[in-house]
Amino acid sequence: MNYDILSLRYGELSLKGKNKKGFYDTLFRTVKKQLQPFQNIELEKHFDHINIRLNGHDHEAILHALKYVFGIHVIRAGIQVEKSLDAMKEGALRLIEGDSSIQTFKISARRKDKQFPYPAYEINNELGGYLLENRDGLKVDVHNPDVDIKVEVKPYYVNIFGKAIKGPGGMPVGTGGKILLMLSGGIDSPVAGFQLLKRGAVLEGIHFHSPPYTSERAKQKVIDLSRRLKEIGGEFKLHVVPFTKAQLAIHEKAPANYAITLMRRMMLRIAEKWASERGALALATGESLGQVASQTLSSMHTINEVTNYPVLRPLISEDKVDIIAIAQEIDTYDISIRPYEDCCTIFLPKAPKTKPSREKAALFEADLDIEALVAEAVAGIETLDLRKDELDLEDLF
């Protein structure tokens, strides 16, 4: 089927009251940017949707390009015909021909050209009768049809749309504020980042690197994950924290079973300070309740004590199998499972505390120069702007 037009419907954005224009404008700019490679298309911004005139481009390629443009609720593919009942009848039949999944239908006509001599109900009747006569086994179902054929009578032509295609949903990236994502290199944190992008956040990543205990390959893995998040969200900066000194200090001076708790508290302190400098209003992690020792409720309660920033945990109620399924869908899984250690997997105690207390954590931190360690780590942060061509460190090995 060769389509002439795609119609992008807003869904949730339509509920935004007086703010909706800003959301619409952001979505339109994102669509325009994403479709820059398709030189012959034409975009039309309307009150509650965006139309894309394909002008010969393959609609499947356009749909692929829009796969992660959040804010699009539904996409309808359609054809354009001349303004006559006969052309509309043939067009409606052409849209459902060969699709055996369509057994029931309804016609929904809108006559935007009030000079057109047939009212909407008469268009519905004429087209519906024609489809019933020319498609065996087809039935009308006005409540739950397999396809709702939308007909738009314009001043100079008619658009006819067939089945609705589910869009990515969510909110346009850029409408949800800036968040600093703690990116470890594992499976969970990129998925958490994806979920936040879907809700319109602008993301920057912060990664804790502990050479020589963690390798350049581990760092490269995080860079590759960041690039994937950039492909989805449009922009992404990665900040790499030199964490060796802080981690060694915790390893040497704190009880082994509290090392994970103190390390996570140190990370939050550094992340909060850097988020403040970057203008981010929240931190985010890929934590899921009960998954590991640092992700029990007691651990999160103790770790959260050191920051006044909101700590967002989009995966908190997700099962691991569901997180893996999303990682596979967004093409981060194969990167995440590369066998290169990150700083959270070195100096691991045999029995980490699963119910740490704030009082004991503070007691064990008394021997650490927290302020100096945080300041030194923040001062050494390396920022990678992934819009530029970075050296592919994999080529070095």
Side-chain angles (χ1 to χ4, degrees), residues 309-365:
Y309 261 53
V311 181
L312 308 182
R313 297 178 169 92
L315 309 183
I316 195 66
S317 62
E318 298 285 348
D319 290 339
K320 191 71 177 183
V321 291
D322 297 325
I323 297 170
I324 289 174
I326 297 173
Q328 291 170 329
E329 181 185 336
I330 63 174
D331 296 328
T332 58
Y333 180 76
D334 288 341
I335 303 172
S336 292
I337 62 172
R338 292 177 193 166
Y340 308 130
E341 73 290 351
D342 58 50
C343 72
C344 295
T345 61
I346 60 176
F347 307 133
L348 272 181
K350 290 183 179 178
K353 198 74 173 177
T354 57
K355 294 182 179 180
S357 71
R358 291 183 171 188
E359 293 73 19
K360 287 188 177 179
L363 177 66
F364 299 142
E365 285 176 341

Side-chain angles (χ1 to χ4, degrees), residues 173-206:
V173 172
T175 60
K178 184 186 287 187
I179 297 170
L180 188 62
L181 171 69
M182 298 173 71
L183 197 57
S184 67
I187 295 170
D188 300 342
S189 52
V191 174
F194 170 77
Q195 301 288 51
L196 292 169
L197 288 172
K198 188 173 181 179
R199 294 308 301 168
V202 173
L203 283 188
E204 296 191 3
I206 186 167

Side-chain angles (χ1 to χ4, degrees), residues 17-311:
K18 294 180 181 179
N19 296 324
K20 65 176 66 174
K21 183 178 182 306
F23 288 89
Y24 292 170
D25 290 345
T26 301
L27 177 59
F28 185 76
R29 285 195 300 272
T30 306
V31 170
K32 188 176 181 180
K33 181 179 178 182
Q34 195 68 15
L35 298 183
Q36 278 180 344
F38 303 91
Q39 296 183 352
N40 294 327
I41 64 164
E42 297 175 62
L43 297 181
E44 300 170 355
K45 183 166 66 172
H46 297 275
F47 171 70
D48 58 354
H49 65 281
I50 297 170
N51 281 346
I52 304 171
R53 299 203 169 281
L54 300 179
N55 294 330
H57 282 289
D58 177 19
H59 77 282
E60 292 288 355
I62 302 289
L63 291 176
H64 181 74
L66 297 175
K67 185 176 181 180
Y68 294 121
V69 175
F70 302 119
I72 301 171
H73 180 64
V74 166
I75 302 174
R76 289 185 177 275
I79 57 176
Q80 182 177 315
V81 301
E82 64 181 38
K83 276 176 58 177
S84 74
L85 274 181
D86 287 342
M88 284 189 261
K89 291 174 181 176
E90 290 299 326
L93 182 60
R94 187 150 55 95
L95 276 175
I96 63 172
E97 274 182 333
D99 189 341
S100 59
S101 68
I102 297 176
Q103 297 298 317
T104 59
F105 77 102
K106 67 182 284 189
I107 305 287
S108 302
R110 294 177 65 191
R111 194 181 55 149
K112 294 187 176 179
D113 176 9
K114 302 304 181 187
Q115 303 304 313
F116 191 65
Y118 302 96
Y121 75 89
E122 194 167 339
I123 297 172
N124 292 343
N125 291 337
E126 289 285 338
L127 270 62
Y130 185 79
L131 295 185
L132 291 172
E133 290 174 4
N134 290 277
R135 169 77 183 267
D136 291 339
L138 196 64
K139 295 180 180 177
V140 174
D141 183 344
V142 297
H143 300 293
N144 188 29
D146 294 329
V147 59
D148 181 359
I149 298 175
K150 305 280 189 183
V151 180
E152 295 178 348
V153 181
K154 301 273 192 172
Y156 300 106
Y157 53 83
V158 176
N159 291 329
I160 307 176
F161 297 99
K163 271 188 169 180
I165 303 164
K166 189 174 184 296
M171 307 290 288
V173 172
T175 60
K178 184 186 287 187
I179 297 170
L180 188 62
L181 171 69
M182 298 173 71
L183 197 57
S184 67
I187 295 170
D188 300 342
S189 52
V191 174
F194 170 77
Q195 301 288 51
L196 292 169
L197 288 172
K198 188 173 181 179
R199 294 308 301 168
V202 173
L203 283 188
E204 296 191 3
I206 186 167
H207 174 67
F208 295 84
H209 188 46
S210 294
Y213 305 99
T214 56
S215 68
E216 288 300 309
R217 292 190 181 197
K219 180 179 173 182
Q220 181 63 43
K221 182 167 73 166
V222 177
I223 291 172
D224 291 343
L225 288 169
S226 300
R227 283 184 170 141
R228 181 62 190 130
L229 290 174
K230 175 186 172 295
E231 289 171 358
I232 295 171
E235 299 293 336
F236 194 92
K237 285 186 173 66
L238 176 65
H239 310 285
V240 180
V241 181
F243 198 53
T244 309
K245 187 171 181 178
Q247 200 164 8
L248 283 175
I250 293 169
H251 178 64
E252 292 168 0
K253 296 185 177 180
N257 63 348
Y258 261 76
I260 297 295
T261 303
L262 301 194
M263 183 183 71
R264 298 293 293 178
R265 284 164 65 100
M266 187 72 76
M267 287 177 170
L268 277 192
R269 290 184 176 102
I270 294 168
E272 181 190 86
K273 192 168 183 60
W274 193 244
S276 176
E277 294 193 20
R278 298 296 305 171
L281 297 180
L283 307 176
T285 76
E287 292 169 313
S288 171
L289 186 61
Q291 190 178 115
V292 295
S294 65
Q295 296 175 24
T296 64
L297 199 55
S298 296
S299 288
M300 286 188 270
H301 178 261
T302 299
I303 292 167
N304 265 46
E305 184 188 24
V306 302
T307 180
N308 291 317
Y309 261 53
V311 181

